[in-house]
């Protein structure tokens, strides 16, 4: 990859190229902006491209690189930030008119500051679904097929990374909002253990569920981003995430769901998951079918917690005569404002029961990881509202969260990555779920799978390989 | 609340009722007798 195609470099490759002096951060930025100019009219993944700020930073990072003074492992790597994270000098708009006229942030969110300390070059802010509460992220389109949406709520981040506009991006995940766009856009998303990364300077949806994390093109790139986002105490707690420790799939015990909500998926997703499972077995992993009936109760628990906490967070906006919030979200939040305390507390107690059930499953089966399809479907349009599984219609807003939210309730670390393609040529995501604070080992297991994955067709079809979208 | 359009009021009531029903059903399948709210069972907090 040379010259005008530098945007095709992943985060690890781009950082290595800066380190060995073969490219400069100014070169990387120029190429990223060229790519953004080429794809953004179609994708609309960005709320704002900070050309001036990025140019200043790139010049400074280039001077430092030339002097051999690298800030850290992301020196000069172009990244984007979901527009619910504060970035100094830019407003945080959260995809909502509630934040119209928001002043420029006075400081970076904690994880944004850490990315900068590691040398990341912040190019701009990406589209979020309104108030980080939804799975469409209009107007952003999916780079695999612009007729489809990119998921949400971190949809702009997913589309920007998949298209090669940036090497990595931040996202947040309350019920699946990192993993959903990652799966639909054929990239990697990591939802770390709950509370491992600081949420300081990040707008909330639901405090006891919200988790921030990276989206990138490969497990290694996402791991590098995560490593940079960790504070020292968190790093001491989980160990080194990147460089990724070596793990062999042979001998690992991987759980797959035998029944229930994690298995209710459309046929193309089921076929891709079967192939994924067979690949794990060929690599020597012992795949065991597990059943966790408590997960069936996920949705009312998830929604009760989200609506009550979001109603509290957005209380001031909800008190306005005509809150500038879309109908569905406003109804959800207003319901949260009048949800009885006993129901909220029951939801949190039921959630504790689900945590216990997942722990038991890991314990009883000696699991190294649990794997499941990330989503029940491989793609949907902005106007689609339902999916069909086993003849039953389900709202996309429920169906997408059904497979991801169980692990928000449990606070488990999860890595979503593409496992293959449907016959229609869309990526299918699988998620690796680990025990709390086992993030480093989970990332290593996901990377080991990525290493044996039959990636030929996936790589060939990836939008990163296409000059135009 | 009373000056909100009636449809939205009904939607809010329906939403609350649906959640209460869902939680009640979940409570029949998950025994919470011994459970404290989840924050006590979530991964231990780290100084981030």
């Amino acid at each position: 990859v040379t010259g005008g195609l530098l945007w095709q470099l992943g985060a690890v490759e781009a950082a290595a190229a800066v380190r060995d002096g073969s490219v400069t951060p100014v070169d990387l930025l120029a190429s990223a902006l060229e790519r953004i100019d080429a794809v953004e009219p179609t994708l609309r993944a960005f709320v704002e491209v900070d050309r001036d700020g990025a140019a200043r930073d790139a010049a400074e990072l280039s001077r430092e690189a030339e002097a051999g003074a690298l800030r850290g492992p992301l020196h000069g790597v172009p990244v984007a930030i979901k527009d619910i994270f504060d970035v100094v000098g830019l407003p945080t708009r959260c995809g909502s008119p509630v934040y119209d006229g928001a002043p420029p942030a006075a400081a970076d969110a904690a994880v944004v500051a850490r990315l900068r300390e590691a040398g990341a070059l912040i190019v701009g802010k990406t589209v979020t679904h309104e108030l980080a509460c939804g799975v469409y992220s209009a107007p952003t389109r999916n780079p695999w097929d612009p007729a489809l949406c990119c998921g949400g709520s971190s949809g702009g981040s997913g589309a920007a990374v998949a298209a090669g506009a940036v090497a990595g991006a931040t996202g947040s995940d309350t019920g699946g909002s990192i993993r959903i766009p990652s799966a639909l856009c054929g990239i990697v998303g990591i939802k770390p253990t709950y509370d491992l990364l600081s949420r300081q300077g990040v707008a909330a949806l639901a405090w006891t569920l919200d988790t921030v994390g990276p989206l990138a093109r490969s497990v290694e790139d996402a791991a590098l981003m995560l490593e940079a986002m960790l504070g020292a105490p968190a790093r001491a707690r989980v160990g080194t995430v990147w460089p990724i420790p070596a793990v062999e799939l042979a001998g690992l015990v991987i759980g797959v769901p035998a029944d229930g909500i994690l298995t209710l998926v459309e046929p193309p997703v089921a076929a891709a998951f079967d192939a994924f499972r067979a690949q794990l077995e060929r690599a020597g992993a012992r795949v065991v079918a597990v059943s966790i009936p408590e997960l069936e109760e996920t949705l009312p628990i998830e929604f009760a917690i989200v609506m009550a906490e979001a109603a509290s967070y957005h209380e001031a906006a909800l008190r306005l005569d005509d809150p500038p919030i879309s109908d569905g979200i406003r109804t959800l939040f207003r319901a949260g404002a009048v949800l009885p305390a006993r129901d909220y507390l029951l939801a949190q107690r039921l959630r504790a029961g689900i945590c216990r059930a997942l722990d038991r499953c890991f314990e009883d089966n000696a699991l190294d990881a649990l794997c499941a399809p990330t989503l029940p479907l491989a793609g949907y349009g902005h106007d689609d509202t339902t999916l069909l599984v086993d003849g039953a219609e389900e709202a996309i807003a429920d169906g997408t969260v059904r497979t991801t939210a169980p692990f928000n309730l449990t606070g488990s670390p999860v890595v979503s990555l593409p496992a293959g393609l449907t016959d229609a040529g869309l990526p299918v995501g699988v998620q690796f779920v680990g025990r709390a604070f086992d993030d480093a080992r989970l990332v290593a297991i996901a990377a080991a799978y990525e290493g044996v994955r039959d990636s030929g067709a996936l790589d060939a079809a990836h939008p990163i390989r296409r000059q135009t979208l | 609340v009373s000056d909100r359009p009636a449809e939205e009021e009904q939607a809010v009531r329906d939403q609350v009722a649906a959640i209460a029903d869902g939680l009640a059903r979940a409570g029949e399948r998950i025994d919470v007798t011994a459970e404290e709210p989840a924050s006590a069972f979530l991964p231990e907090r780290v100084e981030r």
Side-chain angles (χ1 to χ4, degrees):
Chain A
V1 174
T2 54
L5 297 182
L6 289 176
W7 55 266
Q8 289 185 334
L9 294 174
V12 170
E13 296 169 314
V18 170
R19 238 183 350 263
D20 70 20
S22 55
V23 301
T24 68
V26 166
D27 298 332
L28 291 172
L29 176 64
S31 188
L33 292 175
E34 195 175 300
R35 181 61 169 170
I36 288 170
D37 289 340
V39 299
E40 186 62 7
T42 300
L43 290 187
R44 303 177 70 185
F46 284 85
V47 175
E48 179 170 5
V49 178
D50 183 20
R51 291 170 193 272
D52 294 342
R56 279 194 303 274
D57 292 347
E60 179 66 22
L61 286 159
S62 293
R63 281 193 293 274
E64 291 169 359
E66 198 178 352
L70 298 177
R71 291 184 198 177
L74 279 169
H75 197 100
V77 176
V79 302
I81 306 295
K82 180 181 184 180
D83 195 22
I84 67 166
F85 292 66
D86 284 346
V87 171
V88 67
L90 304 178
T92 305
R93 284 147 290 203
C94 303
S96 167
V98 169
Y99 293 90
D100 275 355
D108 286 330
V111 294
V112 173
R114 288 195 183 121
L115 286 168
R116 277 197 214 273
E117 286 163 14
L121 174 56
I122 292 166
V123 173
K125 302 195 78 177
T126 53
V127 169
T128 172
H129 192 105
E130 181 180 357
L131 300 173
C133 186
V135 296
Y136 292 89
S137 308
T140 308
R141 296 166 180 229
N142 190 317
W144 288 76
D145 179 353
L148 300 176
C149 86
C150 55
S153 64
S154 311
S157 288
V161 168
V166 284
T170 65
S172 63
D173 193 316
T174 305
S177 285
I178 288 174
R179 290 164 286 158
I180 293 166
S182 295
L184 294 172
C185 294
I187 60 169
V188 177
I190 301 178
K191 181 188 86 68
T193 298
Y194 173 76
D195 226 17
L196 188 67
L197 293 182
S198 172
R199 297 184 299 279
Q200 186 270 321
V202 183
L205 175 59
W207 300 285
T208 71
L209 295 163
D210 294 344
T211 306
V212 302
L215 297 90
R217 265 176 252 156
S218 66
V219 175
E220 191 178 32
D221 286 355
L224 171 57
M225 292 271 295
L226 175 57
E227 179 74 25
M229 293 162 83
L230 291 171
R235 191 176 290 110
R237 182 70 177 80
V238 298
T240 301
V241 177
W242 185 89
I244 298 175
V247 165
E248 292 291 328
L249 287 176
L252 294 186
V253 183
I254 306 290
V256 296
D259 49 34
I261 58 171
L262 298 177
T263 63
L264 295 173
V265 299
E266 290 186 346
V269 174
F273 191 74
D274 287 346
F276 160 76
R277 175 185 174 149
Q279 180 73 68
L280 288 177
E281 287 176 325
R282 279 198 300 279
R286 189 158 70 81
V287 178
V288 297
V290 300
S291 190
I292 314 170
E294 290 84 352
L295 298 189
E296 303 307 299
E297 314 308 324
T298 292
L299 283 183
I301 302 171
E302 167 79 12
F303 281 114
I305 295 168
V306 168
M307 65 207 283
E309 296 184 9
S312 176
Y313 185 74
H314 292 292
E315 184 181 1
L318 289 172
R319 283 187 188 283
L320 297 174
D321 284 342
D322 187 17
I325 302 175
S326 297
D327 291 352
I329 296 175
R330 190 171 68 191
T331 298
L332 187 73
F333 290 3
R334 290 192 60 224
V338 295
L339 189 76
R342 67 166 185 272
D343 284 343
Y344 174 76
L345 287 166
L346 175 57
Q348 290 286 15
R349 294 176 78 193
L350 289 163
R351 178 185 183 183
I354 287 184
C355 293
R356 211 183 277 276
L358 186 68
D359 284 347
R360 237 183 354 252
C361 177
F362 268 83
E363 205 65 42
D364 292 350
N365 296 285
L367 298 185
D368 292 289
L370 172 69
C371 288
T374 306
L375 290 175
L377 75 176
Y380 51 91
H382 280 289
D383 296 329
D384 293 337
T385 55
T386 58
L387 68 135
L388 201 61
V389 177
D390 286 350
E393 214 173 63
E394 181 179 25
I396 284 175
D398 291 345
T400 47
V401 173
R402 158 164 68 73
T403 46
T404 48
F407 311 111
N408 294 94
L409 294 181
T410 60
S412 314
V414 189
V415 179
S416 177
L417 74 164
L421 295 175
T422 66
D423 289 344
L426 293 176
V428 175
V430 296
Q431 48 185 346
F432 283 74
V433 182
R435 294 172 188 258
F437 292 107
D438 204 13
D439 301 58
R441 183 167 159 76
L442 182 73
V443 165
I445 293 170
Y449 162 69
E450 194 180 48
V452 302
R453 181 183 62 192
D454 181 7
S455 298
L458 196 60
D459 287 348
H462 202 286
I464 197 83
R465 302 286 165 228
R466 299 203 297 266
Q467 287 294 310
T468 57
L469 298 176
Chain B
V1 168
S2 59
D3 59 356
R4 294 280 173 201
E7 281 174 26
E8 186 175 347
E9 291 310 316
Q10 189 59 48
V12 168
R13 280 195 295 272
D14 290 348
Q15 186 95 56
V16 171
I19 290 294
D21 286 350
L23 294 175
R25 277 197 303 277
E28 291 167 7
R29 293 166 192 161
I30 301 173
D31 180 11
V32 295
T33 312
E35 304 289 9
E36 295 179 15
S39 56
F41 291 93
L42 281 172
E44 64 190 272
R45 294 180 74 89
V46 288
E47 189 189 338
R48 295 163 302 187

